[in-house]
Structure formats: structure tokens, C-alpha cells
Amino acid sequence: MIGKLTGRLDSQGEDHVLIDVGGVGYLAFCSARTLAGLPRAGEAVRLWIETHVREDHIHLYGFGEESERAWFRLLTTVQGVGSRMALAILGVLGPDDLAQVIAAQDKTALTRANGVGPKIAARIASELKDKAVGIALGPGGGLGATPGSAPGSNLAPAGALVGDAASATAEDAVSALINLGYRRVEAFAAVARARRQLANAQVSAGEGAEPEATLDALIRGGLKELAS
């Protein structure tokens, strides 16, 4: 099985790339995001690879990040989500954004991908919510973690609330913001950032990680984040 390819970029198409490794060309299908991040032809390139072996073909799928490959594997465990659809989803949502979207159960964001309808989006959000926690947090993840979201994203860092989102106080704060007219994904991200900032402020003040942020503090913090 091929897990990684390092070589020279030979050429790329609408949905694939050809990598020259020691004179042998490997064709790998990629998401739009991965293709957009590739260097120019002739330059060095490295892709993480997922190999699918079938009776009638062997397909390689290439990813610029290991986390993107991990999400590809997760997405294709959902009934009705094939390799092409998984790449379409990863083409519009990066790994951190996808973790946030699924944690927030924002099905509408998933339907931005070509071929993903409301039913499939609901199934993805439902089936992957718990499985997504491990990827979202990663080693050392949690409330104090600092992994950033994708460049240009307005979403909170994936580790800021994911996995800790079962907190009744945080969920109540999210619900309160939704009732004020904000979308769930916006409210979720705002509360995540607010909660993280409150925790950091407590640590800076020498108060440690306790006490847990109050509902009022999270709502006010969330509103401040949404207004900024």
C-alpha cells in the first residue's frame, strides 16, 4: 500500500495530479483545496496517499495534510459517501472547518459541496459527530489547545470547544445566541472563542482553570465575539 509520495509535479488536471517519482508517474485524485496548494510543474511535491484497491482498479487519493486524509477516511465510512463526494466536501471545507461544522451540526455548510444533499449532510453530521472529536482535538487538545482554523476562516480553533461541547453551560450559551437570531455554527464558534479567552484570562490571573465560566459570561463573551 502506498502511504506517501515525494517527487516532482509532472502535471495536474481538474481532479487529479501526476507525480514523477524516480521516473515513474503516479496519478492521484485530489480535492480542489489540495490542487490549489500545489507548486508549479517541475517543482518538488509531497502528498499523503490513501490507496483503494478494487477488483477492476487501483486508485490513489492525494492529500496535502495528514488530517485531510484522516477526514477522507472518516467521510467514506458514512453510507452513501463515496470517494468523489468525500473529496468534494474536503474541497470546500478544510480539516479544522469540517470538525467545527460537524461539531456544530451545521448541515447547511456540508451541502455547499457538490453532490451533497440535505439527507446526506444530515447523515454525515449525525454519524461523525462523536468520531470527529479525536481528529478535532488531536494530541494535547482541549480547552487550552491552540491549533488554529484554516487560513481565512471565521471558525474557532477546533480544540476550543469540540469534545468539551457537552458542557451544559456552553450548550445553553449557544442556544441563547441562536435564539437571538445567530446561526448555530456562528454561535458555536463565538462561544468556543469566548470560553477559551475566559480560561486564558483565569490562567493569566493565576486562578487556574477554575471556576468554570458562567452562562452569563459566555453569552456576553459570545456576543462580543460576534460583534467584533
Side-chain angles (χ1 to χ4, degrees):
M1 303 290 282
I2 299 174
K4 182 173 70 172
L5 288 176
T6 302
R8 298 283 175 180
L9 178 61
D10 184 282
S11 61
Q12 70 179 78
E14 185 177 341
D15 62 353
H16 65 274
V17 63
L18 185 64
I19 300 178
D20 186 322
V21 182
V24 178
Y26 292 88
L27 189 150
F29 295 99
C30 304
S31 70
R33 284 171 53 87
T34 295
L35 290 172
L38 292 175
R40 292 177 295 182
E43 295 184 353
V45 64
R46 181 190 68 180
L47 289 180
W48 301 96
I49 299 295
E50 178 73 3
T51 305
H52 282 191
V53 180
R54 301 291 185 268
E55 291 184 1
D56 57 343
H57 69 257
I58 298 178
H59 281 174
L60 304 182
Y61 299 92
F63 309 94
E65 308 170 43
E66 283 189 278
S67 57
E68 187 184 18
R69 180 176 64 177
W71 270 110
F72 177 82
R73 290 171 174 171
L74 265 186
L75 287 167
T76 52
T77 65
V78 178
Q79 183 180 1
V81 179
S83 302
R84 187 178 298 274
M85 184 178 292
L87 289 179
I89 293 171
L90 290 167
V92 297
L93 292 168
D96 285 344
D97 288 352
L98 187 53
Q100 190 77 67
V101 163
I102 290 180
Q105 294 291 282
D106 184 9
K107 307 171 188 65
T108 302
L110 291 169
T111 61
R112 288 166 47 198
N114 186 37
V116 179
K119 290 184 178 180
I120 290 292
R123 188 180 301 158
I124 292 172
S126 175
E127 292 188 17
L128 297 187
K129 184 174 183 180
D130 293 334
K131 296 180 182 179
V133 172
I135 291 180
L137 290 176
L143 181 59
T146 57
S149 58
S153 171
N154 291 321
L155 298 178
L161 189 59
V162 177
D164 206 15
S167 164
T169 304
E171 285 293 343
D172 286 346
V174 170
S175 296
L177 294 181
I178 292 173
N179 290 336
L180 290 175
Y182 295 100
R183 294 189 304 121
R184 179 171 175 78
V185 68
E186 293 174 332
F188 189 97
V191 171
R193 292 193 296 268
R195 192 179 189 192
R196 185 163 167 264
Q197 288 188 10
L198 288 168
N200 289 341
Q202 290 173 355
V203 172
S204 298
E207 299 176 10
E210 294 184 1
E212 177 67 23
T214 64
L215 175 60
D216 182 62
L218 286 178
I219 294 174
R220 284 188 284 104
L223 287 171
K224 183 178 179 180
E225 289 294 328
L226 288 166
S228 62

